[in-house]
């Protein structure tokens, strides 16, 4: 009999997983969110399959999993897994790429529109002490959608969903993604650009939807951000380390960027002492009023999406571990 370990105890029971995985699989659980290293050796030794949600799986922990054959990352990103070490052990790695597509796309648009319509700005000013005058504020943040280019970095499932939403709001949508075949732009009725520099130079709103890889880590540093048009807005619902916070802070402080919306940070959860930009945001420093929105990596979340994670993770584990299919397998050589 095969054994699958869900280490965090995410759900009240394992009935759904057991139903999907079938009678030939036993589902066992750990006791919480303390990390893989805190799991008892006895549980690790039994696992043929392993679900990973919030935990990290470093290579140093793999000797504790002598039977491990499949790891399913319960989400899109797989940077929490030591994939070279897993590949060396012959362990198959999978993800769940489609559980929160609509939620993250909605969240990215909500951040962009909240900034570009001045909602966060006027919200902050109207609850100030004393409250601001009862009138609109002239600011580079607020611009008509149809006068702006909405740039998308990475046109996967979520990037595509954002493109369709931005187009519906009247933005002129363009994207850069070197991994897509020709014709995607024509199918969606949006414009493709061939380089990151070309995308940055034209994006009044930049929304990030690329995975975190060795090529994208630190991709948007200060030099890159300064290629954006004066008064641009940046939204990141992808992975925190793609966007350099030092560069973002510098470009916000000197006014090169009008605003930013961040659902992800380079360090999550942020530890004290937090980055100076986050410290200024928390302190409600006047120079950041209405210009920075931070949400706690919550873009994916609805009750429906959380249920999708559970079901789709179990289905992927069944397909790969039990039925030996190739569902959602991440190739070892993939970035």
């Amino acid at each position: 009999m095969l054994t699958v370990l869900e280490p965090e105890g995410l759900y009240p029971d394992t009935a759904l997983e057991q139903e999907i995985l079938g009678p030939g699989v036993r589902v066992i659980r750990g006791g919480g969110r303390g990390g893989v290293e805190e799991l008892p050796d006895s549980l690790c030794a039994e696992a043929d399959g392993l679900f990973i949600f919030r935990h990290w799986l470093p290579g140093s922990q793999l000797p504790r999993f002598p039977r491990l054959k499949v790891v399913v990352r319960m989400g899109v990103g797989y940077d929490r897994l030591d994939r070279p070490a897993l590949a060396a052990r012959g362990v198959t790695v999978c993800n769940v790429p489609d559980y929160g597509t609509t939620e993250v796309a909605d969240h990215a648009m909500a951040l962009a529109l909240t900034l570009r319509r001045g909602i966060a700005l006027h919200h902050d000013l109207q609850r100030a002490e004393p409250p601001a005058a009862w009138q609109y504020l002239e600011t580079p943040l607020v611009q008509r959608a149809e006068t702006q280019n909405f740039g998308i970095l990475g046109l996967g499932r979520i990037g595509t969903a954002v493109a369709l939403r931005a187009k519906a709001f009247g933005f002129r949508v363009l994207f850069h993604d070197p991994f897509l075949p020709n014709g995607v732009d024509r199918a969606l009725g949006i414009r493709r650009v061939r380089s990151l520099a070309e995308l940055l130079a034209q994006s009044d709103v930049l929304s990030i939807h690329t995975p975190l890889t060795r090529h994208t880590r630190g991709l948007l540093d200060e030099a890159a951000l300064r290629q954006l048009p004066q008064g641009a807005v940046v939204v990141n619902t992808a992975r925190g380390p793609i966007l350099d916070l030092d560069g973002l802070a510098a470009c916000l402080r000197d006014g090169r960027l009008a605003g930013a919306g961040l659902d992800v940070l380079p360090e999550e959860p942020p530890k004290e002492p937090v980055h100076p930009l986050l410290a200024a945001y928390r302190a409600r420093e006047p120079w950041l009023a209405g210009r920075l929105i931070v949400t706690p990596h919550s873009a994916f979340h609805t009750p429906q999406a959380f249920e999708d994670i559970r079901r789709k993770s179990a289905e992927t584990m069944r397909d790969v571990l039990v039925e030996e299919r190739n569902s959602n397998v991440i190739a070892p050589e993939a970035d």
Side-chain angles (χ1 to χ4, degrees), residues 5-331:
L5 171 61
E6 193 278 278
E8 295 186 55
L10 293 168
Y11 302 98
D13 55 51
T14 61
L16 178 63
E17 289 80 5
Q18 196 65 69
E19 177 186 352
I20 292 171
L21 289 165
V25 179
R26 181 170 61 113
V27 182
I28 57 177
R29 297 200 293 173
R33 301 179 182 178
V36 168
E37 61 276 3
E38 296 184 14
L39 291 170
D41 288 339
S42 57
L43 283 182
C44 300
E46 295 184 70
D48 299 286
L50 177 64
F51 291 118
I52 292 289
F53 185 50
R54 296 183 181 92
H55 288 344
W56 296 78
L57 184 60
S60 61
Q61 291 295 311
L62 294 183
R64 302 177 63 215
F65 294 88
R67 293 173 49 176
L68 191 61
K69 301 178 182 67
V70 178
V71 175
V72 173
R73 164 73 178 108
M74 301 174 72
V76 180
Y78 38 84
D79 49 289
R80 293 174 180 267
L81 312 178
D82 188 337
R83 290 176 51 242
L86 287 163
R89 283 275 307 274
V91 178
T92 301
V93 173
C94 310
N95 70 344
V96 181
D98 58 339
Y99 72 93
T101 299
T102 57
E103 285 83 0
V104 179
D106 289 346
H107 201 90
M109 285 305 303
L111 290 173
L113 291 169
T114 298
L115 290 162
R116 275 299 187 209
R117 292 301 310 137
I119 294 171
L121 175 63
H122 289 107
H123 171 72
D124 283 352
L125 294 178
Q126 287 301 316
R127 65 176 179 164
E129 186 58 49
W134 188 254
Q135 63 183 48
Y136 57 83
L137 185 71
E138 294 293 348
T139 166
L141 272 173
V142 178
Q143 304 291 334
R144 179 178 288 180
E146 65 186 28
T147 68
Q148 298 173 80
N149 289 332
F150 195 108
I152 297 175
L153 180 58
L155 200 76
R157 294 172 179 85
I158 296 171
T160 299
V162 172
L164 295 173
R165 285 157 173 75
K167 185 180 176 185
F169 273 100
F171 289 96
R172 301 184 301 249
V173 181
L174 61 156
F175 77 94
H176 172 62
D177 191 326
F179 300 102
L180 292 182
N182 292 336
V184 173
D185 49 341
R186 293 186 180 276
L188 296 174
I190 62 178
R191 184 160 60 91
R192 184 175 200 164
V193 296
R194 295 294 174 176
S195 70
L196 175 60
E198 190 178 354
L199 179 74
L200 294 175
Q202 299 179 62
S203 294
D204 303 295
V205 177
L206 177 69
S207 194
I208 303 166
H209 300 288
T210 181
L212 178 62
T213 71
R214 65 178 183 273
H215 300 298
T216 63
R217 183 178 294 272
L219 179 66
L220 296 173
D221 57 11
E222 182 175 351
L225 293 173
R226 291 198 180 279
Q227 296 178 52
L228 290 163
Q230 182 72 34
V233 161
V234 176
V235 170
N236 189 8
T237 55
R239 285 292 184 268
I242 298 168
L243 176 62
D244 175 57
L245 287 190
D246 290 337
L248 179 64
C251 291
L252 285 169
R253 187 174 283 278
D254 68 13
R256 181 68 189 184
L257 296 180
L262 307 178
D263 184 58
V264 289
L265 297 171
E267 181 181 54
E268 296 180 359
K271 297 181 178 65
E272 297 291 343
V274 299
H275 189 277
L277 180 63
L278 187 57
Y281 168 79
R282 289 178 173 179
R284 299 188 183 181
E285 293 185 8
W287 69 278
L288 268 183
R291 301 177 62 205
L292 179 64
I293 305 170
V294 179
T295 55
H297 206 142
S298 59
F300 78 95
H301 185 258
T302 60
Q304 295 81 11
F306 207 59
E307 180 69 17
D308 278 352
I309 293 174
R310 182 181 189 184
R311 179 175 297 278
K312 290 174 181 293
S313 295
E315 289 172 348
T316 299
M317 183 67 77
R318 176 202 62 204
D319 288 356
V320 180
L321 180 64
V322 180
E323 300 182 4
E324 298 183 353
R325 299 184 186 181
N326 208 36
S327 300
N328 300 329
V329 171
I330 308 299

